[in-house]
Amino acid sequence: MEKKDKLYYGGEAIMYLNLDNPIAERKTKTVYKDADKTIKLFIENYSKSNILNEALNQARVEEGTDLNVPKLLEVSKIDNRWAIVSEHIEGTPLNKLMEEHPEKEDEYLNLFVDIQLEVLSHKVSLLNKIKEKFKRKINELEDINDNVRYELLQRLDGMKDHDKLCHGDFNPSNIIIKDDGSHYIIDWSHVTAGNASADCAKSFLLFSMEGKKDLADKYLNLFSEKSQIKMSNIQRWIPIVAAAQKSKCSPEENEFLNNWIDVLDYE
């Protein structure tokens, strides 16, 4: 028999959620599929403000753009754990397509960059600013010395203030390709308003952290070419983004990111 969790409002049951079909597991949450719904169920004591901020960000992108974004359906609690319920998008993640069809890597990478540029062409009001977010994260780091922190913050302060829609975790696993060829962009928990070069630097690091150095380099060159953004502008963001990423990485990833932070004069 399927396990159902009943949610209540004013004493009335309003939604049943089936938690029998987990489709992904992360450090802070498990993701379930329930028919036409996707349920992100977070660990106990996960920050309420982070939950509400993620839901708010998703709603702002959904309402403020014409991008294909899953509809936010519900923010609830199940057994003292917060849950975000969204429309489920049936399809194949782009990273899986890239793994299954290596002969189409260039085609899929072109599609990936085109979708990222489509996202970056939008502006959404009231989102957090990327420079403010990175400044906060760098100031919170405990395992870098004051000189490195100062250099990172100085470089960050000198970056241009843009207000492009930056996904913040743009990687092929967050692109769902439907059977009809259309695409949806999922997981907007890290979205900010800011500089396109910073969003590219984050994607470059995500490829690199997966051990896909050649693909990371190919992506960086392709993004620079298609966006007409100078490579040096993107590269100057990499140490900053690496430092900000340290706040939620594993010990192995931490060592990798430290190597990028050390290259403050990387051009």
Side-chain angles (χ1 to χ4, degrees):
M1 180 180 295
E2 290 184 347
K3 177 186 175 183
K4 295 277 187 173
D5 282 271
K6 190 181 298 184
L7 306 182
Y8 292 90
Y9 180 77
E12 298 287 333
I14 59 172
M15 184 182 292
Y16 288 91
L17 298 177
N18 177 11
L19 300 181
D20 280 345
N21 186 18
I23 56 176
E25 188 163 356
R26 303 288 184 266
K27 184 167 62 175
T28 59
K29 61 181 177 283
T30 302
V31 184
Y32 300 88
K33 177 189 174 185
D34 178 11
D36 59 352
K37 297 183 287 291
T38 294
I39 306 153
K40 283 187 182 181
L41 185 61
F42 293 81
I43 59 175
E44 281 195 57
N45 301 317
Y46 190 78
S47 166
K48 182 192 300 185
S49 60
N50 285 346
I51 296 288
L52 297 177
N53 186 62
E54 177 174 342
L56 179 60
N57 284 340
Q58 182 174 336
R60 281 176 170 158
V61 175
E62 177 192 336
E63 294 177 347
T65 73
D66 57 358
L67 297 168
N68 289 333
V69 177
K71 291 181 174 60
L72 177 67
L73 302 176
E74 188 90 16
V75 178
S76 304
K77 291 193 83 171
I78 301 173
D79 295 333
N80 206 37
R81 296 168 64 185
W82 286 99
I84 297 177
V85 185
S86 303
E87 171 189 23
H88 180 75
I89 306 302
E90 197 64 50
T92 306
L94 185 56
N95 66 314
K96 186 175 181 181
L97 290 173
M98 295 176 81
E99 291 167 3
E100 293 176 347
H101 303 283
E103 75 282 2
K104 293 185 176 182
E105 180 177 275
D106 288 349
E107 175 186 337
Y108 288 138
L109 192 62
N110 268 279
L111 175 62
F112 178 73
V113 172
D114 287 344
I115 296 172
Q116 187 171 23
L117 292 175
E118 178 188 8
V119 172
L120 290 164
S121 71
H122 288 77
K123 297 180 180 181
V124 175
S125 60
L126 303 178
L127 291 175
N128 292 330
K129 302 298 184 183
I130 198 168
K131 287 178 65 173
E132 294 174 4
K133 177 180 179 179
F134 286 169
K135 181 178 180 180
R136 183 178 69 253
K137 286 183 174 293
I138 291 169
N139 275 321
E140 290 172 352
L141 291 176
E142 298 178 354
D143 63 341
I144 61 172
N145 65 53
D146 289 341
N147 288 334
V148 172
R149 190 191 318 276
Y150 174 80
E151 292 293 340
L152 288 167
L153 292 174
Q154 285 293 105
R155 175 176 290 197
L156 176 61
D157 186 58
M159 294 300 190
K160 291 183 178 180
D161 292 306
H162 293 171
D163 56 358
K164 296 180 183 297
L165 178 62
C166 296
H167 183 277
D169 191 23
F170 200 79
N171 66 81
S173 65
N174 284 330
I175 308 297
I176 305 298
I177 306 298
K178 296 174 67 68
D179 289 343
D180 63 4
S182 62
H183 62 265
Y184 271 74
I185 307 154
I186 64 172
D187 197 354
W188 291 89
S189 57
H190 302 289
V191 66
T192 56
N195 195 306
S197 295
D199 205 52
C200 174
K202 176 66 176 290
S203 296
F204 169 80
L205 284 173
L206 293 174
F207 279 125
S208 301
M209 289 165 67
E210 293 176 359
K212 301 175 180 176
K213 182 181 183 304
D214 290 343
L215 187 59
D217 290 340
K218 187 186 293 188
Y219 158 76
L220 194 60
N221 280 284
L222 186 61
F223 184 94
S224 176
E225 177 187 335
K226 282 179 172 271
S227 66
Q228 298 187 326
I229 296 174
K230 290 181 179 179
M231 184 79 72
S232 59
N233 291 347
I234 302 169
Q235 290 169 332
R236 283 186 60 78
W237 275 97
I238 294 176
I240 297 169
V241 178
Q245 183 71 12
K246 279 168 58 68
S247 64
K248 60 170 190 173
C249 68
S250 67
E252 296 78 15
E253 292 170 337
N254 190 59
E255 182 178 354
F256 172 87
L257 293 169
N258 281 336
N259 290 332
W260 280 106
I261 294 170
D262 287 341
V263 194
L264 282 174
D265 292 325
Y266 181 69
E267 294 293 348

